[in-house]
Amino acid sequence: MPSFALHGIGVSGGIAIGRAQLVSHATLEVAHYAIPSGRVESEIARLDNALSEVRSELEGLHGAMRAGDAPAEFGAFLDVHALILSDPTLSEAPKKIIAEQRCNAEWALTQQMNVLVEQFEEIEDPYLRERKTDVVQVVERILKRLLGKPGVVGPAGVEQHTILVAHDLSPADVIQFKTHRYAGFITDVGGVTSHTAIVARSLAVPAVAATHNGRTLIRENELMILDGTNHVVIVNPDKAVLAEYRLKQGELELERAKLRRLKPKPATTLDGHAVALEANIELPGDLDQALDNGAMGIGLFRSEFLFLNREGLPSEDEQFEAYRSVAAGMEGKPVTIRTFDLGADKQKEGLDGLARVAPNPALGLRAVRFCLAEPRLFLTQLRAILRASHYGRVKILVPMLASVSEIDQTLALIAQAKETLREQGVPFDSGIEVGGMIEIPAAVLAISAFLAKLDFLSIGTNDLIQYTLAVDRSDDAVSHLYDPLHPAVLKLIAMAMMGAAKARVPIAVCGEMAGEPQLTRLLLGLGLRNFSMHPAHLLTVKQRVLTSDVGASKPIVDRMRRSDDAAKLVALLDRLNA
Ligand code: PEP
Ligand code: MG
């Protein structure tokens, strides 16, 4: 098999070596061809074979699940799939189509799938209507067998040496992979700070996005090296290349082991500045990784992930339990819960306000705008967070604020949520801190209202860069323009830092810039003392903090703050990191 390389954007560093598993959608990629009448029986037998293989595959998964600690829903989902598989509308009807239309089994199966999906779409009950997704997933499994490919979700352990190859993955797709242990990810599209990339990073596996045609060029089961640090994927590597990468992988392991020794050390610079290094998490299950890497708090809990990959909305009690478990798990260390940031690339089906396709989703009804448009939903979340504040040190963080009226409305709703709890005698931290994310240039340019009304600020550099440079963070066609070192971005960060320092309001950075060791000294020089990042980066950034001298870097950082010359900024950053 020929060896070839694909270049993309390394969205999560490190090296993975494994076999390709293609993520596909059944409705794409199915060929249609006629078969001679003499082959009808063998075509039906081929389908029968695939059906019984999938039956055994599902039984095998059930067995593996009982032996492991997979969530209970996984069992229920396998039962539904087994039922669908044995239903004659799926197992028998396509055989009739093969015989009548003399077509290949794949085609017959997808034709029948389309009929079933249409029938499901007519059902009024939303739960039953959604079962069409299960039909599609079962058909996908059968198709993979027909095409000589194994199923997508394997029993635990199999994934360890598997690299997922997809055209695109939504943040909701990727979060589902948290329950598996894939070696890495490759996608055809996506930018560095797209939410998909951020979640991929949170899985602490190497990932390369924007390979453009990886999904079409790579075949199932091909051996691959994924080098997320150098933005490259090598398919079918020869022995020498493979040996070299195995060596590099070993070196990286060693590096990681050395970093682990920094865990108990306090993060203090050479000239004595104490720095808080906190973690960004998406789900309560991420807490272990945060603690394991010495997180001093949770600087950003992206609560919207509780809303994805599920039927309906999480109830107040369900949200409370999620927030309480994180608050209690951090044992008095701060837990900053961001109120949900749905909209743009994190869509939730069934919410009226988000139902239409916005002409420009990143500028549309997203985050706090959506919350203020749906105050009942917002109040439910605020009550759940407030209730959790009784069990730890919880703070509320509000995303995408642009104007004073949004701050006022949010504070009024928080007061209302507190009042209802008081009336019911439910305990909560009445002095809970409320902070705002600085993600829109307008918030920096008119920061005094933010400083006057909020207890703390947190700069979301991912969005701040997107909105300052007018570069869609999820669009790889413009990802070359996405530049954290752009003079305008640095000036805005510096302005926010100075404003906060003057008003003595605590300020953090929780965007991806905080987890980028190349930028640690720059941010320290701008005055930052609170970094929140993905847990996997905590020890690398700590290593950087331990070897930084803020006083010594100050003159270079001051020059960077004033410069409008992009090339000079790069040179100055090199000097800072030398
Ligand atoms: C940001 O915008 O920098 C941020 C931290 O929030 P998110 O990435 O979830 O939009
Ligand atoms: Mg943001």
Side-chain angles (χ1 to χ4, degrees), residues 180-298:
H180 304 288
R181 286 166 294 178
Y182 292 105
F185 289 88
I186 296 172
T187 55
D188 284 348
V189 299
V192 186
T193 52
S194 64
H195 282 104
T196 304
I198 291 172
V199 180
R201 263 196 293 285
S202 82
L203 302 178
V205 293
V208 173
T211 54
H212 295 290
N213 37 24
R215 179 65 186 74
T216 26
L217 293 174
I218 298 168
R219 307 231 168 121
E220 187 78 16
N221 226 22
E222 275 184 323
L223 184 63
M224 291 191 300
I225 296 168
L226 189 166
D227 182 346
T229 313
N230 293 304
H231 318 274
V232 70
V233 179
I234 303 168
V235 186
N236 298 317
D238 64 31
K239 276 193 183 143
V241 173
L242 196 59
E244 165 122 11
Y245 268 96
R246 287 211 196 278
L247 205 72
K248 276 197 197 173
Q249 220 180 10
E251 284 164 7
L252 282 176
E253 285 298 325
L254 215 66
E255 233 6 73
R256 262 198 286 270
K258 274 197 216 155
L259 276 179
R260 299 212 60 75
R261 288 193 221 133
L262 299 180
K263 185 182 159 189
K265 271 190 179 290
T268 311
T269 63
L270 290 173
D271 52 343
H273 294 279
V275 177
L277 298 178
E278 300 186 342
N280 293 353
I281 63 168
E282 277 91 36
L283 292 169
D286 300 337
L287 196 63
D288 289 347
Q289 201 196 353
L291 289 170
D292 206 36
N293 286 283
M296 296 161 68
I298 301 299

Side-chain angles (χ1 to χ4, degrees), residues 195 198 300 302 338 366 439 460-463 473 510-511:
H195 282 104
I198 291 172
L300 175 67
R302 291 184 163 99
R338 172 173 75 190
R366 184 193 153 183
E439 316 191 81
T461 50
N462 307 335
D463 279 314
R473 61 193 269 198
C510 63

